[in-house]
Amino acid sequence: MITNKSVVMKNRLLFLLFLFLVISGCRQKTGNGKITEELIPISEKALNDTSSAFYAHFNEYPQERSDLPIGVFDSGTGGLTVLEAMLSLDAFNNKTGESGADGVPDFSGEKFIYLADQINMPYGNYAAENKTEYLRELVIKDALFLTSPPNRSKLVVIACNTATAYGLQDVSKLFQKGETGINVIGVINAAVNAVYDGSSKDDSIAVGVMATVGTIASGGYERTLKEVASQRGYISPVVVNQGGKGFAEAVDGEYDYIERSSKTVRDNYRGPAIGNDTLSINPDLMEVYNFDMSNNALLVKKKGAKIETIQLNSPGNYARYHLVNMIDKYRQKGEKIKIGKVILGCTHYPYFKDTLEKCLGELRKYSKNGIYPYRDLIKEKVEFIDPARNVAIEAYNYAREHNLLNPNGVTNSVMPYITVPADTLSLDKLDKAGNFKYEFKYGRSSGTEKQDFSVVPFSSKNINKDNLSRIQTRLPLTYSQIKSYTE
């Protein structure tokens, strides 16, 4: 006689078997034996659907690749800092490949394609809006632009921390499944390796990580910092994270986060405000923030002597706000190890490295009632780690090892592209600056063939003057390459 208990046990076993088969069917083994997820839908289209706009024609990839360009993409113009590092790199002897400068840029004679996915930035907000799948699709679209006809890159660099955190594996799988032989390099591992280069294995270290909210939410930096410490035999570091709400957006002039002509607080502001979470402006820290008050850089609304509302209205103030909040958060944790390294985990942040350095110096000197609350939390000399140089070195080593360097190149060239709204898009989807409205940008879903944006060369019409001036001042090699497009 079969008991109820036996029936229940049998049903449970059948269910577990069914669940195992379902999970197994949704997974595949990679060449190294690891289990990985199936390709996302857009990658499937790129490989298998010849009727799709995303079909990549990877089977037609040129066999001889040394004269092909290197592809670089970011969610905006911030990734130009990585391109500048590649254009200026002189860390090797070009004839022998050995370490050591020889007075000749290592990528001398190489062609580059740069894609700024400006209209879809910031990538860091998609995860917070539960649009991670759409973000992953955007990253694949960026990679496809750089590897599909008429653009064929011999190497792809993801110059975006958020895109690396959420999309690096997707791009790697696409290239592997398509048997392209194309390698993809991201920025996170490059930055983490830079933390340990020059550090003693016997020292405990504290690392600050400034990145977009999405990058921090992914856990990519903290996880990689601890994994690499274990791999390289270092003591696991103390990590303090700061999600840079609005920082990258302010650098690129996104209307929801900065409007320099505003003289009073505005209703459509989405940047940090007074509140109760770790991304809020703390009125008690106004002395510590030491915000720039000139030229509408800070918008304040008061009721009597009490501050009701604060809105950041300059990239420099975003930089100050996020750095102070990170250090104050570390103070509240009660940690004793001094912070000696800060990762600039977004390619937009190095533009304001000088502001960050100045702010750290002010924090060390700040005192109240004879007490120095931050002095013992910060080393006298803090290293700001910009992953760009390490990415450039990794790219050079890979290109040389795989015979991808162009032996016939004479001068560098850069073909810069940027995304803009599609001509067919209705104007009600755009803000007054001509960018996607926030609700439209983060309200879209993946899986459609319809394109709401297009890709065009750089021009003065699609890059704002402040941003262009910053590129000219801080990235001279890049500016000299893109100058003809922006004029």
Side-chain angles (χ1 to χ4, degrees):
M1 181 178 178
I2 300 176
T3 64
N4 287 340
K5 185 175 182 181
S6 299
V7 172
V8 170
M9 288 298 295
K10 183 178 180 180
N11 287 341
R12 283 180 178 174
L13 288 171
L14 287 172
F15 174 76
L16 289 173
L17 177 60
F18 170 77
L19 187 60
F20 172 79
L21 290 173
V22 169
I23 293 173
S24 297
C26 292
R27 290 181 167 189
Q28 61 185 15
K29 283 193 176 182
T30 61
N32 58 14
K34 293 182 179 179
I35 299 296
T36 183
E37 294 178 357
E38 290 283 354
L39 295 170
I40 63 175
I42 190 173
S43 296
E44 290 282 3
K45 288 184 177 183
L47 296 180
N48 303 313
D49 186 356
T50 57
S51 67
S52 172
F54 305 117
Y55 185 65
H57 298 272
F58 283 150
N59 60 316
E60 300 172 8
Y61 228 93
Q63 295 301 307
E64 174 53 46
R65 300 180 179 184
S66 61
D67 63 341
L68 296 181
I70 296 170
V72 182
F73 74 85
D74 187 21
S75 61
T77 59
L80 292 173
T81 57
V82 174
L83 182 59
E84 181 80 5
M86 298 179 79
L87 292 171
S88 63
L89 185 69
D90 182 14
F92 301 91
N93 183 300
N94 286 24
K95 293 182 178 179
T96 66
E98 296 177 352
S99 295
D102 63 357
V104 180
D106 296 324
F107 287 101
S108 181
E110 294 293 335
K111 296 178 287 187
F112 295 87
I113 300 177
Y114 182 82
L115 173 62
D117 190 11
Q118 184 77 23
I119 198 63
N120 294 305
M121 76 89 67
Y123 280 3
N125 286 352
Y126 286 95
E129 298 292 343
N130 296 313
K131 292 295 180 178
T132 299
E133 293 305 308
Y134 190 76
L135 170 59
R136 293 170 68 189
E137 183 177 282
L138 285 175
V139 175
I140 290 294
K141 287 179 179 179
D142 294 336
L144 287 173
F145 177 81
L146 296 175
T147 54
S148 300
N151 304 315
R152 294 292 204 188
S153 300
K154 59 187 175 185
L155 175 66
V156 171
V157 175
I158 303 180
C160 173
N161 291 265
T162 305
T164 299
Y166 288 94
L168 177 65
Q169 294 304 314
D170 289 324
V171 177
S172 295
K173 282 186 285 185
L174 171 66
F175 290 168
Q176 289 168 9
K177 281 289 188 179
E179 299 180 350
T180 64
I182 304 299
N183 188 40
V184 56
I185 295 172
V187 291
I188 290 180
N189 275 77
V192 169
N193 281 316
V195 167
Y196 297 110
D197 293 342
S199 296
S200 170
K201 292 184 178 182
D202 299 324
D203 292 340
S204 296
I205 62 173
V207 182
V209 179
M210 299 181 69
T212 67
V213 174
T215 299
I216 297 301
S218 77
Y221 265 108
E222 188 158 3
R223 181 175 61 253
T224 306
L225 278 163
K226 293 178 179 179
E227 287 174 354
V228 173
S230 177
Q231 293 164 5
R232 294 180 57 170
Y234 285 79
I235 298 171
S236 188
V238 176
V239 181
V240 57
N241 295 302
Q242 179 66 20
K245 182 179 181 181
F247 190 175
E249 297 91 319
V251 174
D252 264 347
E254 284 287 300
Y255 181 65
D256 288 321
Y257 298 89
I258 183 172
E259 175 52 51
R260 293 308 299 265
S261 63
S262 293
K263 296 182 179 180
T264 58
V265 297
R266 53 200 181 96
D267 293 336
N268 63 329
Y269 174 77
R270 294 184 181 274
I274 296 173
N276 299 313
D277 58 35
T278 57
L279 295 179
S280 297
I281 297 175
N282 185 348
D284 295 336
L285 294 179
M286 288 299 287
E287 255 188 13
V288 187
Y289 291 130
N290 194 22
F291 288 130
D292 175 12
M293 307 287 285
S294 64
N295 300 317
N296 307 321
L298 192 75
L299 306 177
V300 180
K301 181 180 179 181
K302 291 184 177 181
K303 188 174 183 179
K306 184 181 179 182
I307 296 176
E308 281 192 336
T309 308
I310 300 173
Q311 294 181 355
L312 308 179
N313 205 35
S314 75
N317 278 344
Y318 274 90
R320 285 182 164 278
Y321 155 74
H322 283 298
L323 183 64
V324 169
N325 269 26
M326 183 179 74
I327 301 300
D328 195 67
K329 187 193 308 180
Y330 191 65
R331 177 188 65 80
Q332 293 177 46
K333 287 176 67 175
E335 297 284 356
K336 302 299 181 184
I337 303 171
K338 290 185 177 182
I339 294 174
K341 303 195 179 192
V342 175
I343 295 175
L344 301 180
C346 174
T347 51
H348 291 72
Y349 297 178
Y351 284 117
F352 287 85
K353 181 182 173 184
D354 52 351
T355 301
L356 295 168
E357 288 175 332
K358 183 179 180 181
C359 187
L360 267 187
E362 293 169 359
L363 286 174
R364 280 185 50 80
K365 295 176 182 177
Y366 176 79
S367 66
K368 190 169 186 178
N369 300 323
I371 298 172
Y372 292 80
Y374 305 110
R375 186 174 58 187
D376 294 334
L377 303 177
I378 309 166
K379 287 189 175 182
E380 287 188 28
K381 186 171 179 58
V382 174
E383 179 185 0
F384 282 92
I385 294 175
D386 174 5
R389 178 177 168 81
N390 291 73
V391 170
I393 289 172
E394 185 177 344
Y396 177 83
N397 283 329
Y398 181 87
R400 187 173 188 91
E401 181 183 345
H402 291 82
N403 299 313
L404 292 175
L405 294 172
N406 188 356
N408 303 314
V410 178
T411 60
N412 289 124
S413 67
V414 175
M415 185 63 214
Y417 291 97
I418 191 167
T419 54
V420 297
D423 291 337
T424 55
L425 194 68
S426 59
L427 294 178
D428 64 316
K429 303 293 194 303
L430 306 177
D431 62 27
K432 73 174 188 178
N435 298 317
F436 287 161
K437 287 182 178 177
Y438 189 94
E439 295 80 7
F440 173 70
K441 182 185 299 185
Y442 298 106
R444 297 170 295 169
S445 299
S446 58
T448 178
E449 288 273 328
K450 185 178 180 181
Q451 287 283 61
D452 45 39
F453 62 92
S454 56
V455 183
V456 298
F458 273 30
S459 78
S460 57
K461 295 179 181 178
N462 52 47
I463 299 179
N464 70 59
K465 292 181 180 179
D466 287 345
N467 213 350
L468 190 58
S469 175
R470 194 176 301 117
I471 293 168
Q472 182 178 6
T473 302
R474 298 179 181 252
L475 310 177
L477 296 177
T478 299
Y479 182 76
S480 69
Q481 292 291 336
I482 68 174
K483 182 179 179 182
S484 60
Y485 298 97
T486 57
E487 293 179 347

